[in-house]
Amino acid sequence: MDENLLVPTEIFREKIRVYANSQREHHRECSRDSLRFGLGEIKERVQFLDNLNERDVLGLAKRIKRRKRATPEDMYRLSHAFLQDLENIKVFNKTPGALQILIKELTGKSSECQISAAECLCNFSLGDAPVCEKIASLAGSYLVTYLHSSEIQLVRLCLWTLANILATSSKGAQTCLQMQLIPQLWKLYIGDEIADNLMDYKEDSAICLQIISLNYASILNEKDMEFLLQHANEKNPTCLPNEYHLQIIFQIFFNQEEIVANFPENLTTYLISYSLSNINNTAELSGVKENLMVLYAIRILGNILACVPSSYTKLLQELSSVYQINLTGFLNKLFSYKSSPIILEILWFLKNILRQEESDTTFDINLLDKLQIKRETVVQQLMQKSG
C-alpha cells in the first residue's frame, strides 16, 4: 500500500506526549496555587521534572527496588524521564527488578498508584523492541484485562501501551495476541457511538487492530480468525471512526482467496454495502481518512467480484435500490476522484466488472465509451504511480 495512505502509528506517541504535557501543566498549576500558601519547595520539584537524566532514573529505579514499592511521585518522575530521553528508558530497563515494582503498583488496590504505574508503563513502552517485549511478557495479561476497566484513564493508557508494543516488537505482539487481545479490542472498536469523547476508545482500538492486520495477520490463530469472521459485519458503516474497518478486514482475510470465496452470504452482502457507503459518503480524497475509505472499498469490491461472481447481482441491486445510480454513473464517480494511488484499483475493479458483463446477454458494448475519463488521463496517472 502507498506510504501516504498509511495511518502512522506515531499518532499514539504524539497522544502520549500531549497527555504528558497536559499532566505537567496541571502539576505546574497546582504548584502555583501552593506557592500562594508559601510552599516554595514544590516549584523546585516541577523544575526537577524538566531535567531528569540517567543518573536520576538509576537512583529512582534503585530506590523503588529497595523499598519494594513506588509512590505516585516516584512514578510521576519516572514517567516524565522516559518521555524526555530514550537513554532514561534504557537505564531503567537495565535495572533488575525495577519494572516488576511498577507492575506491582499497576495491579495494586490504590487507583492513584494504578494510574501512575500505567502512565509509567505507557511512556516506558516508547523504548525499543527489547523493552516492549519485556512489558508484554510481564504485564501483557494485565494490559489486556484492564481494557474493560471502568477507569477511563487506565483503559486509554493500556491501549496506548499495547499499540506501542504492537508497533515496536514482533515478539511482544505475539505474546499479547495469545492473551485474547483481538476479541477485547474488537468489542471496544465496534461499540455504539458514545456522547462522552473521554469514554470513546474506538479510534485507539481501531489503530491497534490496524497494526495487527498490517503486520500479524499471518500469525493469527484459528480461534481469532473464527471470531473475526463471525463478528466482521457488526461495525456500523456510519459510526466513526469508519475508515479503518475495510482495511482491517482486507488485510486479515483477503490474502486467502479460498476464505473470501466461502464467506457467508450475509458477510459478502455487508461488505458490498459498507464499501458502497464509504464511496457514496466521500466526495473527494482530501486526506488519509478519505483515501483509506475509498481505496479499500474499491479493493474489496474488486476482489469479491473475482472470488464470488454471483455477488455482481447484489452490487447492481444495491446501486439501483439504495443509491439510485446505474453502473456507468458509479464508475464515473470513481474515476472522478482522479487519484494516482487508486487508479490501479479502479482498473482492477473495472476488469472484474467487464468479465461479469461479458457473460450477460444484456451486456452494454458501449460501456467503456460512456465512462467520463480519457485514455491519456489514465496513462498519465499510471505514470505518476510508477514514478
Side-chain angles (χ1 to χ4, degrees):
M1 185 180 172
D2 288 87
E3 206 172 286
N4 64 327
L5 295 182
L6 286 171
V7 176
T9 55
E10 280 293 317
I11 187 173
F12 278 104
R13 296 173 184 264
E14 181 59 27
K15 284 185 177 183
I16 292 167
R17 293 186 183 98
V18 170
Y19 174 81
N21 286 335
S22 67
Q23 290 294 95
R24 184 182 297 146
E25 289 302 318
H26 173 71
H27 201 88
R28 284 182 175 137
E29 287 300 321
C30 290
S31 71
R32 290 192 187 102
D33 291 340
S34 299
L35 285 171
R36 297 190 186 106
F37 297 95
L39 302 180
E41 70 274 7
I42 295 181
K43 181 178 180 181
E44 295 178 2
R45 294 182 185 180
V46 175
Q47 291 173 340
F48 174 69
L49 285 173
D50 292 329
N51 298 285
L52 291 165
N53 56 36
E54 297 167 50
R55 184 177 177 181
D56 298 319
V57 171
L58 182 59
L60 284 166
K62 288 181 176 179
R63 182 167 70 178
I64 66 173
K65 182 183 175 183
R66 184 176 64 254
R67 293 180 176 178
K68 296 183 180 180
R69 65 179 298 270
T71 66
E73 185 168 347
D74 290 333
M75 291 184 282
Y76 189 72
R77 290 180 175 183
L78 284 170
S79 181
H80 281 282
F82 295 153
L83 197 64
Q84 288 169 20
D85 195 334
L86 184 60
E87 293 303 315
N88 290 340
I89 294 177
K90 292 179 179 178
V91 167
F92 188 85
N93 190 45
K94 290 177 182 178
T95 307
L99 180 58
Q100 283 84 341
I101 301 301
L102 295 183
I103 296 170
K104 178 183 176 182
E105 299 298 340
L106 178 70
T107 58
K109 295 181 179 180
S110 167
S111 60
E112 182 185 8
C113 287
Q114 196 173 44
I115 295 297
S116 296
E119 289 175 355
C120 256
L121 287 176
C122 185
N123 290 358
F124 189 55
S125 71
L126 293 171
D128 53 17
V131 170
C132 288
E133 184 181 341
K134 183 184 287 189
I135 297 172
S137 176
L138 297 177
S141 60
Y142 303 118
L143 294 173
V144 175
T145 299
Y146 291 149
L147 288 182
H148 290 282
S149 167
S150 59
E151 196 67 56
I152 297 172
Q153 272 183 289
L154 183 60
V155 176
R156 187 81 63 193
L157 290 164
C158 286
L159 279 169
W160 292 353
T161 305
L162 286 165
N164 283 330
I165 293 172
L166 293 169
T168 307
S169 168
S170 59
K171 288 184 179 180
Q174 290 179 51
T175 299
C176 292
L177 287 169
Q178 293 170 3
M179 299 172 178
Q180 296 294 302
L181 176 59
I182 291 283
Q184 302 308 317
L185 289 173
W186 198 262
K187 290 171 186 176
L188 291 175
Y189 167 57
I190 65 168
D192 295 330
E193 290 200 41
I194 300 173
D196 187 349
N197 289 333
L198 291 176
M199 296 181 66
D200 192 345
Y201 314 112
K202 287 194 288 295
E203 180 161 26
D204 291 342
S205 55
I207 295 177
C208 286
L209 288 164
Q210 181 196 46
I211 299 170
I212 292 170
S213 70
L214 289 170
N215 298 283
Y216 307 110
S218 62
I219 65 170
L220 294 182
N221 60 41
E222 186 176 340
K223 191 173 182 180
D224 282 336
M225 293 292 282
E226 288 177 358
F227 175 87
L228 290 170
L229 196 60
Q230 183 179 354
H231 298 278
N233 63 349
E234 295 177 359
K235 173 68 175 173
N236 185 334
T238 61
C239 183
L240 301 177
N242 54 0
E243 67 266 30
Y244 304 99
H245 193 58
L246 294 183
Q247 181 188 29
I248 293 167
I249 297 300
F250 183 88
Q251 294 293 340
I252 290 176
F253 292 118
F254 279 73
N255 58 345
Q256 301 180 56
E257 185 176 330
E258 184 179 351
I259 292 180
V260 179
N262 291 287
F263 272 168
E265 185 177 353
N266 66 332
L267 179 56
T268 300
T269 302
Y270 166 82
L271 289 174
I272 291 174
S273 297
Y274 199 114
S275 299
L276 293 180
S277 174
N278 275 10
I279 293 169
N280 181 68
N281 293 324
T282 307
E284 58 182 20
L285 305 181
S286 55
V288 172
K289 174 181 177 177
E290 292 76 16
N291 272 280
L292 281 173
M293 290 179 68
V294 171
L295 182 140
Y296 278 97
I298 298 170
R299 189 173 283 182
I300 278 184
L301 289 175
N303 279 272
I304 285 179
L305 288 185
C307 298
V308 190
S310 61
S311 64
Y312 185 54
T313 302
K314 293 187 179 67
L315 172 63
L316 295 179
Q317 289 174 345
E318 184 95 2
L319 287 172
S320 175
S321 62
V322 178
Y323 299 102
Q324 286 80 49
I325 190 173
N326 60 22
L327 179 61
T328 303
F330 177 63
L331 289 171
N332 280 331
K333 176 174 175 59
L334 295 183
F335 281 118
S336 71
Y337 288 126
K338 298 178 181 179
S339 168
S340 300
I342 70 168
I343 187 65
L344 287 177
E345 306 297 337
I346 299 174
L347 293 177
W348 162 251
F349 177 48
L350 178 58
K351 177 182 176 182
N352 286 299
I353 286 177
L354 292 176
R355 283 178 176 171
Q356 299 300 319
E357 283 288 326
E358 286 174 355
S359 62
D360 195 323
T361 55
T362 61
F363 174 53
D364 183 357
I365 59 174
N366 297 315
L367 174 62
L368 293 178
D369 294 332
K370 295 179 181 179
L371 299 182
Q372 297 171 3
I373 184 168
K374 298 179 181 179
R375 179 179 179 277
E376 55 269 25
T377 303
V378 175
V379 172
Q380 181 182 15
Q381 290 178 354
L382 289 175
M383 289 179 67
Q384 291 176 0
K385 172 80 173 176
S386 61

